[in-house]
Amino acid sequence: MNGQIPEETIEEIRKSNDIVDIVGEYVQLKKQGRNYFGLCPFHGEKTPSFSVTQDKQIFHCFGCHKGGNVVTFVMEMEGFSFFEALKHLAEKSGHTLPESYQPVNQNQQVSQESQDVLNAYEWLTKLYHHLLRHTKEGKTGYQYLIDRGFTDEVIDTFQLGFSPNSKEFIVQFLEKKGFHPQTMVKAGLLSMNDQQEVSDRFRGRVVFPIRNHLGKTVGFGGRSINNQEPKYLNSPESELFHKGRLLYNFDLARSHIRKQEEAVLFEGYADVISAYAAGVTNGVATLGTAITEAQAKLLRRYVDTVVICYDADDAGVQASYKAAKVLKKAGCTVKVASMPNGMDPDEFVQQNGAERFRKEVVDVSDTYMSFLMRFLKKDYNLNLEGDRIQYVESVLDEVALIDRPVEREHYLKELANEFELSMDTLTQEIMARRQKIGPGQDKMVQKSNTSMAKAPYSQKKLLPAYHNAEKQLIAYMLNDRTIAEKVKEELGGSFNVEQHQIIVTYLYAFYEEGNGPDVSLFVERLPDPSIQSLVVQIAMMPIHQDISDREINDYIRLIRVEHSDEAAIKSLKAEQKLAEKQNDHVKAAQIAMQILEIRKQLKNSIH
């Protein structure tokens, strides 16, 4: 599974990466008791059922049942092979894997073509940036950015660059580095015309590197500075570059988003960069398109609150409305910043400075409902009685969707005061609407927020007593080597559930190798993901630290009785089948009675 990498190296890397820190880079975790909970990144959910246990260094989702340790988590999240996940964690913890360590299965690696493209992007990012900052050819691009208010520090932080207005320069550079032109055309780094001539796609443009969440450049955005069309040009969609899944600056903003418990969503690169220079370091942007469901879900995994900060023109307000709807649907708490005087965020920062941008724009953002009320107003002439009534009706439709009674009352009072309506009438209208939506909403919401602690250990169906006894016994075996040795001596592999037989067989071998109780390390030795998940699920069951020998013996007795009786029943069933073949129906009936009696005794012994 781990190629030529020594076990002690794997162990050192795994122990150097705390699972809470690594998972916390992808999921907003909140401590509850000894564990951390968050929304599962592997399936859609609105109530957290994803749990991380720091002392055991494992994770488990009680919804989709995925589970494992820090290495398997990174493998799942990134689609990495074991080797790639280990390499990624090694880089994070300051370890170096020698080049001699190679994965057993090369097919698990990122395709060679994709790796070549990543390397080409890395070279071009450095080259474009060097050309902008240190060459005569890059002066026009550099001056353009300085005129926009960008400092050298910001230009360096975002690795902004410039592509010279030459058809051959970048093509020749890539060829000298060993990259095939056809591969680069396919990846969108180079363009090909009808005459099959290859040239730089971004020539004559200021270049904005677009990085994935790991900080690797996977695309470029090019800004025209000489009236070229189009004004903005992105890399085309590819295996590495998916506009609908990436957010500009997410890699740099992620830690700030978690720290500030808020993300600011902008429309363009320049807005993000200006805001960053102004101290708004938790800003991200979509890549020239409306926000997608995937991007909204990505933000929701990290944070509850998203502030939309789009342009103040009609198109910007319309885009804010659409984005607010998508983010709200993903479960985000949405705020909308109001840009004064029809300005865009970049212009405001340049004219008014950093402090005013934060205080007058970001910090005073409207709530989702306040923005919505303002947005809906533009469709009505409130001087007309009919339009006033229609506007109130449309606002009531939205207020009815709010789950918190206090929040609903707040907006109803606003309506009542503005249009001189009675609270009783408005409240009746809301109640009628909520009954149509579905009764008991408030109770359901309240219940869902308090059921999280109970959810992990609830069973969907009642399992036989021996089944639960086996799981409970394995939980103690995972926690205590002495208990495992006792069970091995008295039961061996004679568990009744096949998956449990597999687990204890591996566990006996694990302890025989001299390992102590370490679920995270043990999980790594298991070849089957479904068995890994089951082990993690069992490891997260509550156990008593001072379990008595008598209780352990009771579990063993239950398992042994079931095993011996099931063996007897199996033998009797074979006899019964033979009697039926020989048409000895009396004997077959007698055997059936014996089987029933054994099952009855088994049931009585269990209860």
Side-chain angles (χ1 to χ4, degrees):
M1 183 179 178
N2 49 40
Q4 303 166 8
I5 307 172
E7 293 292 344
E8 56 268 24
T9 304
I10 296 171
E11 186 66 357
E12 192 180 337
I13 291 168
R14 185 179 62 79
K15 286 187 171 177
S16 299
N17 288 275
D18 189 289
I19 194 166
V20 173
D21 294 335
I22 299 300
V23 173
E25 292 180 6
Y26 299 84
V27 180
Q28 184 187 8
L29 294 173
K30 292 178 181 175
K31 194 166 188 183
Q32 190 180 51
R34 292 178 67 182
N35 292 354
Y36 293 80
F37 285 88
L39 296 173
C40 179
F42 305 120
H43 80 286
E45 63 176 13
K46 291 190 177 178
T47 303
S49 64
F50 182 83
S51 177
V52 180
T53 306
Q54 193 164 35
D55 57 349
K56 294 178 181 173
Q57 289 292 300
I58 54 176
F59 74 91
H60 181 69
C61 176
F62 297 95
C64 68
H65 306 298
K66 280 191 186 294
N69 64 8
V70 68
V71 181
T72 54
F73 177 81
V74 172
M75 287 170 71
E76 283 280 353
M77 285 301 301
E78 301 297 346
F80 283 166
S81 66
F82 180 85
F83 179 84
E84 290 170 320
L86 206 63
K87 189 179 177 187
H88 173 71
L89 290 169
E91 288 170 1
K92 291 184 81 66
S93 57
H95 292 81
T96 304
L97 288 178
E99 291 298 320
S100 58
Y101 297 154
Q102 291 299 325
V104 174
N105 185 356
Q106 289 288 347
N107 292 330
Q108 289 182 321
Q109 288 285 73
V110 173
S111 72
Q112 188 57 51
E113 188 174 297
S114 290
Q115 192 57 57
D116 285 346
V117 173
L118 278 173
N119 292 339
Y121 270 120
E122 188 178 353
W123 276 111
L124 283 187
T125 299
K126 291 174 182 174
L127 177 63
Y128 286 149
H129 182 62
H130 172 77
L131 290 168
L132 178 90
R133 293 282 276 115
H134 304 295
T135 69
K136 186 173 66 174
E137 289 83 358
K139 274 189 176 177
T140 51
Y142 178 74
Q143 195 57 50
Y144 166 81
L145 292 174
I146 294 298
D147 291 344
R148 289 287 301 265
F150 292 0
T151 62
D152 286 348
E153 184 185 354
V154 164
I155 290 170
D156 291 343
T157 298
F158 288 89
Q159 288 288 285
L160 305 183
F162 182 74
S163 178
N165 202 1
S166 161
K167 287 186 177 183
E168 295 84 21
F169 181 77
I170 297 299
V171 179
Q172 290 169 0
F173 171 83
L174 289 172
E175 283 187 303
K176 282 178 185 174
K177 294 295 177 187
F179 300 109
H180 196 282
Q182 291 291 345
T183 305
M184 298 298 100
V185 169
K186 185 180 172 185
L189 286 161
L190 301 177
S191 297
M192 183 182 282
N193 62 19
D194 295 338
Q195 285 75 46
Q196 303 297 297
E197 294 172 330
V198 177
S199 60
D200 177 16
R201 179 182 177 86
F202 298 99
R203 65 184 183 277
R205 293 174 180 268
V206 168
V207 177
F208 296 79
I210 301 167
R211 300 177 300 273
N212 63 15
H213 62 287
L214 298 174
K216 307 278 188 187
T217 302
V218 292
F220 289 129
R223 170 63 161 88
S224 165
I225 58 173
N226 296 314
N227 300 316
Q228 277 177 286
E229 288 298 332
K231 187 176 176 182
Y232 290 99
L233 181 68
N234 274 340
S235 294
E237 294 280 313
S238 68
E239 187 181 340
L240 296 170
F241 184 65
H242 301 278
K243 282 190 288 189
R245 294 183 203 164
L246 294 167
L247 288 166
Y248 181 71
N249 193 46
F250 187 71
D251 61 315
L252 294 182
R254 179 164 56 180
S255 61
H256 300 286
I257 287 170
R258 286 172 60 218
K259 213 174 286 179
Q260 297 174 42
E261 298 183 344
E262 187 175 84
V264 183
L265 180 67
F266 295 99
E267 276 188 289
Y269 316 134
D271 294 335
V272 170
I273 296 169
S274 291
Y276 191 95
V280 181
T281 51
N282 55 335
V284 294
T286 51
L287 303 174
T289 59
I291 189 168
T292 64
E293 193 177 321
Q295 290 166 330
K297 284 180 177 176
L298 175 64
L299 285 171
R300 178 64 188 92
R301 281 215 314 265
Y302 288 86
V303 76
D304 291 327
T305 304
V306 179
V307 180
I308 298 169
C309 193
Y310 285 2
D311 295 355
D313 58 14
D314 288 344
V317 173
Q318 191 70 39
S320 295
Y321 171 71
K322 289 176 181 174
K325 285 286 187 184
V326 174
L327 288 163
K328 194 76 176 168
K329 187 181 175 185
C332 297
T333 298
V334 180
K335 294 180 180 178
V336 183
S338 180
M339 297 300 307
N341 307 321
M343 300 174 103
D344 62 38
D346 181 26
E347 286 174 331
F348 188 94
V349 172
Q350 303 310 327
Q351 291 186 26
N352 302 290
E355 193 175 344
R356 282 187 63 186
F357 178 68
R358 181 166 276 290
K359 284 185 177 177
E360 296 177 26
V361 178
V362 178
D363 290 348
V364 295
S365 302
D366 288 336
T367 62
Y368 171 77
M369 198 62 219
S370 293
F371 165 75
L372 205 57
M373 289 167 78
R374 188 160 46 83
F375 178 80
L376 291 171
K377 265 182 186 173
K378 68 183 179 54
D379 294 330
Y380 301 97
N381 180 353
L382 297 183
N383 293 318
L384 301 175
E385 185 180 357
D387 274 24
R388 282 199 303 275
I389 293 170
Q390 283 184 41
Y391 168 71
V392 171
E393 294 271 4
S394 63
V395 172
L396 288 173
D397 288 340
E398 295 290 343
V399 173
L401 299 173
I402 297 172
D403 290 319
R404 292 170 59 214
V406 173
E407 198 178 344
R408 287 201 302 269
E409 186 175 335
H410 172 79
Y411 293 114
L412 290 181
K413 278 182 178 174
E414 275 195 27
L415 275 180
N417 292 336
E418 186 175 358
F419 295 99
E420 297 181 353
L421 297 166
S422 79
M423 277 295 290
D424 287 343
T425 303
L426 294 176
T427 303
Q428 284 174 17
E429 287 285 336
I430 289 294
M431 285 173 65
R433 282 167 168 78
R434 285 182 68 78
Q435 280 177 355
K436 285 180 184 176
I437 296 167
Q441 268 200 353
D442 297 329
K443 287 180 184 175
M444 283 174 69
V445 169
Q446 193 176 6
K447 188 177 178 183
S448 72
N449 289 333
T450 56
S451 63
M452 185 171 67
K454 294 178 185 177
Y457 307 113
S458 62
Q459 295 282 354
K460 287 185 179 177
K461 62 178 182 178
L462 198 62
L463 294 169
Y466 74 85
H467 194 126
N468 288 326
E470 289 185 2
K471 287 176 78 172
Q472 201 69 55
L473 189 57
I474 292 171
Y476 283 107
M477 291 166 71
L478 289 166
N479 194 59
D480 190 321
R481 181 174 175 166
T482 309
I483 291 173
E485 287 170 353
K486 175 183 172 67
V487 174
K488 182 186 176 185
E489 192 177 315
E490 299 201 23
L491 270 182
S494 299
F495 282 65
N496 297 284
V497 179
E498 187 181 353
Q499 288 176 308
H500 298 168
Q501 291 172 11
I502 295 168
I503 291 169
V504 296
T505 302
Y506 276 103
L507 189 58
Y508 296 149
F510 180 74
Y511 283 138
E512 279 174 13
E513 289 170 11
N515 296 299
D518 187 334
V519 177
S520 182
L521 177 59
F522 176 57
V523 162
E524 219 160 82
R525 307 290 176 86
L526 299 171
D528 185 343
S530 65
I531 297 293
Q532 287 180 340
S533 294
L534 179 58
V535 167
V536 172
Q537 182 189 342
I538 291 171
M540 296 187 89
M541 291 171 66
I543 57 173
H544 301 295
Q545 293 302 322
D546 53 351
I547 181 81
S548 67
D549 283 346
R550 184 180 171 184
E551 287 174 279
I552 295 295
N553 288 333
D554 283 344
Y555 289 132
I556 292 172
R557 181 184 59 80
L558 262 177
I559 296 163
R560 187 182 281 144
V561 166
E562 174 67 22
H563 191 77
S564 60
D565 284 338
E566 280 300 319
I569 288 168
K570 193 175 180 182
S571 175
L572 285 169
K573 280 185 173 178
E575 284 184 46
Q576 185 185 26
K577 202 170 183 181
L578 184 63
E580 286 170 350
K581 275 186 180 179
Q582 294 171 346
N583 292 320
D584 190 344
H585 300 298
V586 174
K587 188 178 179 182
Q590 287 172 342
I591 293 171
M593 291 301 292
Q594 281 180 269
I595 292 171
L596 283 172
E597 185 60 31
I598 291 172
R599 290 202 186 282
K600 185 180 176 184
Q601 286 174 7
L602 180 60
K603 192 174 181 183
N604 289 337
S605 72
I606 288 169
H607 297 294

